[in-house]
């Protein structure tokens, strides 16, 4: 009898072990490690993201952590995909080439979609809109974009603000990052900085030393999106699907209200695919047309 009981215990133990292994195998399809290879990631289970460190409220580092509207949104998207986000700081002028060259899985930096940029990378669906900003100093006398001719204008290299200044034949001074642009205004070595308006306004208030202001802004025509390698359609499609999910569950609206309190959403702008239902963020102004 004792031998039979011992045998039964061993058999039960073996069954339990077999069941545990089977359950683990079934569950492995939901683990980060198994999600990665299907999306062509550099490292299975990890979404490696190239971003900036100095562009609040969109993308920046606070208390040693990458944050901002764009980065918090892509973190929520990564969670939907069961991936761990890994942020790496870089300069904007190099970001798109680095994404398409395989250094990063994705680029996050309020990247405006343009035809020229489509030659280098592919884009997710748009998740935000933006404004061109005109930063200057209180005593410059500059109040509008049409007053920039003949002025020393600074831009961050490779941005749509660089494109704007070039198209307007302003012969801009190009710098690698936003801190350098702000520094030129504060030092008096530039008359104006054509900026992403949200970034320019926040940096003027927080780091402008009381002399730098946002004098004007105008709505950009194209939306902002995440950049992915042109060869990785699977990742782009997965990001688009997850982006619609975080729009539908209220995350997008919550982040807009957190990072852009009171900002009105243009009447013709719909985030993501345009099919996801969302609650319009609370706004203190009239939506731009």
């Amino acid at each position: 009898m004792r031998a039979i009981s011992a045998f039964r215990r061993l058999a039960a133990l073996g069954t339990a072990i077999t069941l545990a292994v089977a359950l683990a195998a079934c569950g492995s399809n939901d683990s980060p490690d198994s999600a990665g290879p299907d999306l062509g990631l550099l490292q299975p289970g990890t979404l490696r993201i190239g971003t900036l460190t100095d562009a609040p409220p969109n993308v920046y580092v606070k208390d040693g952590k990458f944050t901002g509207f764009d980065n918090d949104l892509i973190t929520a998207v990564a969670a939907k995909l069961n991936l761990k986000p890994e942020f790496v700081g870089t300069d904007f002028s190099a970001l798109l080439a680095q994404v398409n060259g395989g250094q990063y899985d994705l680029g996050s930096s309020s990247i405006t979609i343009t035809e020229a940029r489509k030659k280098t990378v592919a884009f997710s669906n748009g998740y935000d809109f933006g404004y061109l900003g005109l930063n200057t100093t209180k005593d410059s006398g500059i109040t509008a974009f049409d007053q920039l001719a003949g002025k020393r204008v600074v831009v961050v290299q490779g941005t749509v603000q660089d494109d704007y200044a070039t198209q307007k034949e302003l012969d801009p001074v190009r710098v690698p990052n936003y801190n350098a642009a702000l520094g030129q205004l504060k030092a008096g070595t530039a008359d104006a900085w054509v900026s992403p308006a949200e970034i320019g306004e926040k940096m003027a208030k927080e780091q402008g030393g009381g002399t730098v202001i946002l004098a004007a802004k105008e709505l950009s025509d194209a939306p902002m999106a995440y950049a992915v390698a042109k060869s990785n359609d699977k990742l782009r499609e997965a990001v688009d699907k997850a982006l619609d999910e975080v729009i539908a569950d209220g995350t997008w609206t919550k982040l807009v209200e957190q990072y852009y309190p009171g900002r009105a959403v243009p009447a013709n702008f719909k985030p993501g695919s345009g099919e996801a239902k969302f609650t319009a963020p609370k706004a203190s102004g009239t939506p731009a047309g």
Side-chain angles (χ1 to χ4, degrees):
M1 292 294 293
R2 289 180 180 177
I4 293 174
S5 297
F7 175 79
R8 287 175 176 172
R9 286 196 296 271
L10 287 172
L13 178 60
T15 300
I17 292 172
T18 301
L19 180 60
V21 170
L23 289 173
C26 291
S28 66
N29 290 330
D30 298 324
S31 70
D33 288 338
S34 66
D38 293 337
L39 298 180
L41 301 178
L42 295 171
Q43 179 181 341
T46 298
L47 185 64
R48 186 174 171 85
I49 302 163
T51 187
L52 308 189
T53 61
D54 65 341
N58 301 47
V59 285
Y60 61 104
V61 173
K62 181 178 181 181
D63 299 326
K65 178 183 177 182
F66 285 90
T67 186
F69 175 77
D70 301 61
N71 287 343
D72 285 5
L73 184 64
I74 195 61
T75 295
V77 167
K80 295 290 186 182
L81 298 174
N82 204 24
L83 298 175
K84 176 184 177 182
E86 178 184 281
F87 294 98
V88 182
T90 187
D91 287 333
F92 188 85
S93 59
L95 178 58
L96 300 188
Q98 290 169 337
V99 169
N100 203 53
Q103 190 167 338
Y104 306 117
D105 297 307
L106 180 144
S108 169
S109 183
S110 295
I111 307 168
T112 302
I113 300 173
T114 69
E115 292 303 315
R117 289 173 178 174
K118 286 180 180 179
K119 296 177 181 179
T120 303
V121 294
F123 288 100
S124 70
N125 288 328
Y127 60 82
D128 199 12
F129 59 94
Y131 294 84
L132 288 173
L134 173 57
N135 281 82
T136 185
T137 56
K138 289 181 178 179
D139 58 358
S140 70
I142 299 172
T143 59
F145 287 91
D146 60 9
Q147 297 174 337
L148 294 179
K151 303 294 185 181
R152 185 174 172 84
V153 178
V154 64
V155 296
V156 173
Q157 184 176 358
T159 61
V160 291
Q161 294 81 38
D162 185 351
D163 294 342
Y164 173 88
T166 301
Q167 290 166 6
K168 296 293 184 180
E169 298 182 348
L170 298 177
D171 192 22
V173 176
R174 297 176 176 87
V175 294
N177 55 58
Y178 296 112
N179 279 329
L182 181 67
Q184 292 235 4
L185 281 183
K186 292 171 67 175
T189 54
D191 300 308
W193 163 31
V194 180
S195 68
E198 291 88 356
I199 294 171
E201 183 173 28
K202 189 173 181 66
M203 292 183 73
K205 291 179 178 178
E206 295 183 351
Q207 304 174 43
T211 62
V212 178
I213 61 171
L214 182 74
K217 65 180 182 180
E218 60 182 54
L219 185 65
S220 296
D221 295 330
M224 299 172 184
Y226 296 113
V228 298
K230 294 178 71 173
S231 60
N232 198 345
D233 287 339
K234 287 185 177 181
L235 177 59
R236 178 182 53 77
E237 291 167 1
V239 167
D240 282 345
K241 181 176 182 295
L243 181 59
D244 271 1
E245 291 176 7
V246 300
I247 291 167
D249 71 14
T251 300
W252 180 85
T253 300
K254 179 182 177 181
L255 291 174
V256 170
E257 292 176 345
Q258 176 184 342
Y259 286 102
Y260 312 123
R263 186 187 70 167
V265 176
N268 61 349
F269 176 78
K270 292 184 178 181
S273 67
E275 300 299 322
K277 293 182 179 180
F278 68 98
T279 301
K282 297 175 183 178
S284 59
T286 304

